[in-house]
Amino acid sequence: MRDKLTKSDVKKIEEEIEYRKLVVRKEAIEAVKEARAHGDLSENFEYHAAKKDKNKNESRIRYLERMLKTAIIVDDSSKDDEVGINNTVELYMEDDDEIETYRLVTSVRGSSIQGLISIDSPLGKAILGHKLNDRVYIQVNNNFGYYAIIKKIINTQNDENDELRKF
């Protein structure tokens, strides 16, 4: 699957790759060397843990590089009265009679626990591009869906503190 990324997502990924290659990789190699010096490798827990950390870092680098190669770059700009990427949206959930607040982000930043909803999620797909007071149907699966009304659109900018999702 090709990830949809904004220019700021690409920048964050490139920064993480550089950090992992220049800092984390060096530290991991040193940790392996130091643990290896402790003697018998078959019963050396520190050595196995250091190797595992080193391999995890290398795996993350490969994952991020592959993500960049296959990414689709999307524009994160939108009209003031339209739901777009990085907008915070207040939705009136008809079934629950409640108002819920979400921020629409790309899939690499999505975290429903933090209220960051991916543009690839059913909710994200349903509200993207809609306007204030639009009633939208959120199709969860073939058998279930629900209605929500867009009550407020706040044009929030990309938050530099947003973290990329881990795997």
Side-chain angles (χ1 to χ4, degrees):
M1 185 175 122
R2 295 171 56 128
D3 290 294
K4 294 175 186 168
L5 304 174
T6 63
K7 289 179 182 176
S8 67
D9 291 337
V10 170
K11 182 180 175 218
K12 277 192 172 228
I13 290 171
E14 288 171 341
E15 288 170 356
E16 183 176 340
I17 290 171
E18 184 177 350
Y19 175 76
R20 286 182 172 280
K21 283 183 173 180
L22 299 177
V23 177
V24 178
R25 181 182 277 166
K26 225 179 254 185
E27 291 171 355
I29 290 171
E30 270 309 306
V32 169
K33 283 181 187 175
E34 187 178 320
R36 180 178 285 168
H38 290 240
D40 183 13
L41 297 183
S42 65
E43 295 181 14
N44 187 337
F45 173 76
E46 289 84 10
Y47 173 75
H48 294 288
K51 286 281 286 184
K52 185 177 180 180
D53 286 345
K54 179 182 168 294
N55 291 339
K56 187 175 180 183
N57 183 56
E58 296 303 319
S59 179
R60 177 73 175 171
I61 291 169
R62 286 190 305 274
Y63 171 77
L64 293 173
E65 288 175 339
R66 189 173 32 243
M67 185 185 295
L68 285 179
K69 278 184 196 173
T70 62
I72 299 169
I73 306 301
V74 294
D75 187 17
D76 60 354
S77 62
S78 63
K79 297 175 185 169
D80 289 339
D81 66 340
E82 184 178 272
V83 178
I85 297 174
N86 290 321
N87 287 155
T88 300
V89 182
E90 285 185 6
L91 299 172
Y92 172 71
M93 302 300 191
E94 292 181 358
D95 291 351
D96 300 332
D97 192 31
E98 289 183 4
I99 291 188
E100 296 182 11
T101 304
Y102 299 104
R103 193 165 122 232
L104 211 54
V105 294
T106 55
S107 59
V108 296
R109 294 190 186 194
S111 171
S112 57
I113 293 172
Q114 297 175 347
L116 304 174
I117 301 299
S118 166
I119 56 174
D120 295 324
S121 70
L123 178 59
K125 286 177 185 176
I127 65 174
L128 186 63
H130 280 274
K131 298 186 182 300
L132 194 62
N133 294 319
D134 280 358
R135 183 176 186 238
V136 294
Y137 183 71
I138 297 101
Q139 181 79 38
V140 177
N141 60 36
N142 291 337
N143 301 320
F144 180 73
Y146 57 94
Y147 284 97
I149 299 173
I150 299 171
K151 288 296 188 183
K152 192 176 199 181
I153 301 171
I154 304 164
N155 193 356
T156 45
Q157 294 301 312
N158 186 23
D159 187 353
E160 292 303 316
N161 295 325
D162 286 351
E163 291 187 13
L164 298 174
R165 231 184 34 222
K166 305 295 183 205
F167 56 83

